[in-house]
Amino acid sequence: SQINRFVPLSMGPFGAFATLLYGLTAAPASQPRNAILGQAVSQTIAIAVSYSVMPNWAKQTVATSLAIGVMVRFGITHPPAGAA
């Protein structure tokens, strides 16, 4: 189904996400603003790039690069979101 195709995309960095939120609560990258907006931006970029006609290796490279660049530019860096 269409929804199951994106599940690995969002479940991969879940361990790092939980570690930041529960283990390093004072770190800037684990603040709610960074966590929520970083994940939302990264997922949006990943889904948009997945519809392109590039080979899979290029999609992964472009999506990760764009997600990290956008998060840094807007000050919402969240490392697990970059892995999404």
Side-chain angles (χ1 to χ4, degrees):
S1 93
Q2 189 73 351
I3 294 174
N4 290 339
R5 191 171 79 153
F6 296 112
V7 170
L9 231 96
S10 60
M11 293 307 291
F14 188 68
F17 181 69
T19 301
L20 275 177
L21 289 182
Y22 299 113
L24 300 170
T25 56
S30 48
Q31 298 307 307
R33 176 180 179 263
N34 290 25
I36 294 167
L37 293 178
Q39 291 286 351
V41 164
S42 295
Q43 292 295 324
T44 302
I45 290 171
I47 290 170
V49 170
S50 75
Y51 286 109
S52 70
V53 293
M54 295 183 277
N56 283 336
W57 65 268
K59 289 179 187 180
Q60 293 169 349
T61 304
V62 169
T64 302
S65 300
L66 281 175
I68 292 170
V70 170
M71 285 190 296
V72 168
R73 175 72 175 114
F74 290 112
I76 53 171
T77 305
H78 185 63

